[in-house]
């Protein structure tokens, strides 16, 4: 069972306690943006076979949104971090590189 | 290729079954094909079959990283129905259902199509209204469905509990012409028919790269070498994003695991397919007597073909409430498949940013029922370079234009 540590309350929560929220770090399209920008924001997804940055909510705990880096094939979790983070943090990138030296970064 | 027939069985019986030939070959890839189809699952093989049958294009290779029909074609719950709300969906799924009726004759292999009828249970008042609306829409679309009351549901499915404490059965959407088919035989039948037309089915051949030049595909690089192609069709379900990335574009797809399980075999007790969408479970009985049970998808991206255990628990709990007599059944096997979910839960049959690459994906949790219709529409798109009437609405540009075929809101799908 998938277990993630909530970066806010520190609880190790299994997936039945969490609500998945899809890809993280999407650039929000806004008024005046092109149709392409809206399509990219709403529908285009990286969907990698590898490292995935994603949003989770500690739904049956503290209720807060947070972000996680996880491998979609091995289900290995590289770490979780706070949602107020526009790009993956240095610590999380280092944690991924340590396990996957050949990883080329977020596509 | 020798035809399968009652006469052939008698002839082979007289000579100790020494005359059966291989159903399809195991060729090495040629240098070049007019069309290369990636993915030898139901949809890829059906595309190849109709390219040959409807358009006479037979210089075709279907390449497959694993074994034939070993992905979602071999992992689904084999339900066939066409009771969708939106017109484009009803058109392609009804075409598909009607092609299933004659598939055994068309491909000369018994695919065991069993039009036993499908009930989608209405267990909330919202669902009652939704399915009454779908029945009216289906009447206009020429799809044979009716909304039936709880007594009729009980008559069709004697083992059902219509007075459940949480979700009593308030009625159901009944499609008498829906049913099931033998999933492996669908893949094998198409493969044998394609091989008979001279096409190459190349298994254990994974695509590692797509060579493009000036916005056109030249070749695919595979574990069995470089294969040049005039046109390339990507029909790979859960791995569509991966292949699209090799070709240099993105798709509005997320891959998640969907699970199913079967029980130990028991005596015949239910001769229709029952789907309970509110509680997320559906069940039918196979010819071997196993209860075939489909569950829910994981909510997170996943390529593991396993899925989370708690979904099985939820599905089984819901079905035990709906069918109390199964409470002591033992489950034999559980498995998962990687399904490709789009934003509106409708498929993509489309041109792509690369001129001669075409994609057929996004069937999500309901691809098996669509196999022949999907192949029919995809073959037309690949052969002509432009979508025909069945595929026209399913272009990937609909996500930019806001022209969704929103079956997730219409509750035409099980998830």
């Amino acid at each position: 069972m998938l277990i993630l540590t909530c970066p806010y309350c520190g609880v190790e929560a299994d997936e039945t306690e969490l609500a998945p929220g899809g890809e993280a770090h999407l650039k929000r399209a806004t008024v005046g943006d092109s149709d392409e920008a809206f399509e990219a924001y709403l529908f285009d997804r990286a969907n990698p076979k590898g490292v995935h940055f994603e949003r989770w909510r500690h739904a049956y705990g503290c209720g807060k949104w947070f972000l996680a880096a996880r491998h979609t094939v091995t289900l290995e979790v590289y770490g979780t971090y706070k949602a107020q983070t526009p790009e993956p943090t240095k610590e999380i990138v280092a944690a991924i590189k340590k396990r996957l030296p050949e990883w080329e970064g977020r596509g | 290729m020798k035809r399968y027939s009652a006469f052939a069985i008698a002839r082979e019986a007289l000579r100790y079954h020494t005359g059966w030939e291989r159903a399809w070959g195991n060729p090495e890839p040629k240098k070049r094909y007019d069309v290369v189809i990636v993915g030898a699952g139901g949809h890829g093989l059906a595309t190849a079959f109709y390219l040959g049958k409807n358009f006479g294009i037979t210089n075709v290779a279907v390449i497959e990283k694993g074994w034939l029909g070993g992905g979602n074609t071999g992992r689904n719950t084999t339900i066939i129905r066409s009771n969708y709300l939106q017109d484009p969906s009803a058109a392609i799924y009804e075409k598909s259902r009607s092609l299933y009726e004659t598939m055994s004759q068309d491909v000369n292999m018994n695919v065991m199509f069993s039009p036993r009828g499908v009930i989608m249970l209405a267990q909330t008042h919202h669902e009652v209204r939704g399915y009454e609306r779908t029945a009216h829409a289906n009447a206009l679309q020429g799809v044979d469905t009716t909304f039936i009351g709880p007594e009729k549901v009980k008559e069709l499915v004697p083992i059902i509990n219509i007075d459940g404490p949480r979700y009593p059965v308030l009625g159901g959407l009944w499609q008498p012409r829906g049913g099931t088919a033998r999933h492996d035989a669908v893949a094998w039948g198409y493969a044998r028919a394609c091989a008979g037309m001279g096409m190459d089915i190349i298994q254990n051949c994974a695509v590692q790269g797509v060579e493009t030049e000036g916005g056109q595909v030249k070749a695919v690089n595979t574990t069995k070498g470089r294969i040049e192609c005039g046109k390339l069709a990507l029909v790979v379900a859960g791995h569509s994003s991966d292949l699209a990335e090799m070709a240099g574009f993105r798709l509005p797809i997320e891959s998640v695991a969907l699970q199913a399980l079967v029980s130990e075999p028991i005596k015949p007790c239910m001769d229709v397919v029952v789907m309970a969408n509110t509680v997320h479970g559906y069940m039918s009985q196979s010819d071997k007597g196993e209860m075939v049970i489909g569950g829910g998808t994981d909510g997170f991206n996943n390529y593991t073909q396993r899925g989370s255990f708690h979904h099985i628990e939820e599905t089984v709990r819901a079905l035990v409430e709906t069918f109390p007599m199964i409470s002591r059944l033992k489950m034999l096997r559980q498995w998962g498949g990687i399904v490709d979910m789009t934003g509106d839960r409708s498929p993509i049959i489309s041109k792509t940013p690369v001129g001669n690459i075409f994609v057929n994906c996004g069937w999500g949790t309901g691809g098996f029922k669509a196999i022949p219709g999907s192949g029919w529409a995809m073959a037309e798109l690949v052969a002509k370079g432009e979508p025909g009437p069945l595929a026209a609405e399913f272009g990937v540009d609909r996500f930019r234009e806001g022209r969704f075929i929103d079956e997730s809101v219409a509750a035409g799908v099980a998830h």
Side-chain angles (χ1 to χ4, degrees):
Chain A
M1 183 164 275
L2 190 61
I3 295 171
L4 300 176
T5 306
C6 174
Y8 293 98
C9 63
V11 167
E12 275 191 20
D14 77 42
E15 60 180 287
T16 55
E17 195 175 328
L18 300 164
E23 191 175 333
H25 303 304
L26 295 173
K27 292 271 181 291
R28 181 184 285 269
T30 186
V31 179
D33 280 348
S34 65
D35 290 355
E36 286 75 13
F38 268 97
E39 183 193 19
Y41 168 56
L42 291 169
F43 298 109
D44 277 1
R45 293 294 176 262
N47 197 20
K49 209 174 165 182
V51 180
H52 190 236
F53 296 91
E54 56 198 12
R55 305 165 73 227
W56 287 84
R57 194 167 82 88
H58 195 184
Y60 297 104
C62 68
K64 290 214 165 66
W65 282 100
F66 64 91
L67 307 180
R70 187 178 58 87
H71 199 287
T72 58
V73 179
T74 62
L75 301 192
E76 181 176 358
V77 177
Y78 301 105
T80 56
Y81 51 109
K82 295 187 176 180
Q84 292 78 5
T85 317
E87 292 291 324
T89 60
K90 278 189 197 127
E91 294 76 29
I92 210 90
V93 170
I96 297 166
K97 289 269 189 198
K98 195 176 164 195
R99 296 284 296 155
L100 290 176
E102 72 280 13
W103 181 63
E104 289 170 359
R106 201 156 63 91
Chain B
M1 172 145 325
K2 290 179 194 159
R3 281 187 62 78
Y4 290 160
S5 63
F7 171 75
I9 293 172
R11 182 190 64 213
E12 293 305 323
L14 291 174
R15 55 181 185 187
Y16 304 100
H17 295 282
T18 53
W20 297 115
E21 51 188 13
R22 287 183 70 113
W24 53 84
N26 190 23
E28 285 302 308
K30 287 191 277 192
K31 194 170 173 295
R32 186 184 186 283
Y33 294 91
D34 292 340
V35 178
V36 168
I37 297 169
V38 184
H43 291 259
L45 292 164
T47 301
F49 177 73
Y50 288 112
L51 271 176
K53 186 163 185 259
N54 293 355
F55 298 97
I57 300 170
T58 55
N59 185 17
V60 174
V62 187
I63 61 179
E64 166 61 47
K65 79 171 170 185
W67 67 96
L68 195 148
N72 295 347
T73 306
R75 293 166 188 269
N76 59 80
T77 50
T78 79
I79 298 168
I80 295 162
R81 61 184 178 89
S82 59
N83 50 357
Y84 284 73
L85 178 66
Q86 312 289 357
D87 289 347
S89 319
I92 195 162
Y93 287 107
E94 176 63 9
K95 173 72 180 173
S96 192
R97 193 205 52 76
S98 68
L99 287 169
Y100 265 113
E101 289 185 338
T102 56
M103 189 188 288
S104 294
Q105 291 77 34
D106 291 344
V107 302
N108 184 227
M109 184 184 281
N110 184 6
V111 300
M112 295 164 72
F113 176 58
S114 161
R116 58 183 65 184
V118 175
I119 299 177
M120 291 168 81
L121 298 180
Q123 293 176 287
T124 62
H125 289 285
H126 177 79
E127 261 187 317
V128 170
R129 284 195 293 274
Y131 286 147
E132 283 178 338
R133 181 184 177 208
T134 303
H136 293 315
N138 288 163
L140 294 173
Q141 291 151 346
V143 178
D144 180 14
T145 65
T146 47
F147 187 83
I148 57 175
E151 306 75 28
K152 178 74 175 168
V153 173
K154 183 74 182 168
E155 186 191 318
L156 287 162
V157 193
I159 66 168
I160 205 167
N161 173 24
I162 59 171
D163 305 315
R166 276 198 309 167
Y167 294 109
V169 174
L170 305 173
L173 183 65
W174 170 234
Q175 184 174 25
R177 288 166 177 248
T180 60
R182 173 85 202 279
H183 50 354
D184 294 323
V186 171
W188 297 339
Y190 277 134
R192 180 169 166 272
C194 289
M197 288 189 276
M199 298 177 184
D200 285 352
I201 293 154
I202 304 158
Q203 303 179 66
N204 297 312
C205 178
V207 172
Q208 295 170 315
V210 178
E211 257 180 58
T212 55
E213 192 181 294
Q216 300 284 316
V217 65
K218 304 291 282 183
V220 286
N221 291 308
T222 73
T223 48
K224 293 196 173 183
R226 183 173 182 274
I227 306 172
E228 290 176 24
C229 55
K231 290 175 179 176
L232 180 65
L234 305 178
V235 196
V236 293
H239 290 76
S240 296
S241 299
D242 209 28
L243 267 290
E245 196 190 326
M246 290 182 200
F249 57 93
R250 271 194 180 194
L251 289 169
I253 294 263
E254 290 191 274
S255 298
V256 298
L258 172 66
Q259 295 180 78
L261 57 160
V262 294
S263 75
E264 58 190 331
I266 54 174
K267 290 265 173 73
C269 65
M270 191 172 82
D271 61 358
V272 297
V273 180
V274 178
M275 311 185 70
N277 292 344
T278 291
V279 295
H280 261 44
Y282 38 100
M283 191 164 86
S284 61
Q285 190 168 23
S286 74
D287 291 347
K288 285 185 284 185
E290 302 154 333
M291 304 310 287
V292 182
I293 294 170
T297 51
D298 289 341
F300 52 86
N301 293 37
N302 188 346
Y303 283 92
T304 61
Q305 292 188 327
R306 283 201 301 272
S308 301
F309 187 74
H310 67 93
H311 283 297
I312 301 176
E313 195 180 352
E314 286 158 13
T315 299
V316 169
R317 190 166 59 210
L319 289 175
V320 166
E321 196 177 302
T322 315
F323 305 98
M325 65 155 271
I326 68 165
S327 65
R328 293 170 76 180
L329 268 188
K330 293 176 182 69
M331 292 300 148
L332 275 189
R333 295 190 302 281
Q334 167 273 348
W335 63 91
I338 303 304
V339 297
D340 39 346
M341 309 295 277
T342 58
D344 61 359
R345 300 296 184 263
S346 287
I348 295 167
I349 305 173
S350 181
K351 299 198 277 188
T352 68
V354 183
N356 48 355
I357 297 184
F358 304 90
V359 290
N360 180 354
C361 61
W363 293 94
T365 61
F368 178 73
K369 69 175 88 69
I371 284 172
S374 154
W376 183 284
M378 183 66 177
E380 186 169 7
L381 173 63
V382 173
K384 296 180 177 170
E386 291 293 332
L390 279 181
E393 300 287 328
F394 292 103
V396 74
D397 50 359
R398 73 176 186 268
F399 294 99
R400 183 171 311 160
E401 295 167 3
R403 198 171 34 76
F404 311 122
I405 306 164
D406 204 341
E407 291 293 352
S408 61
V409 173
V413 289
H415 302 284

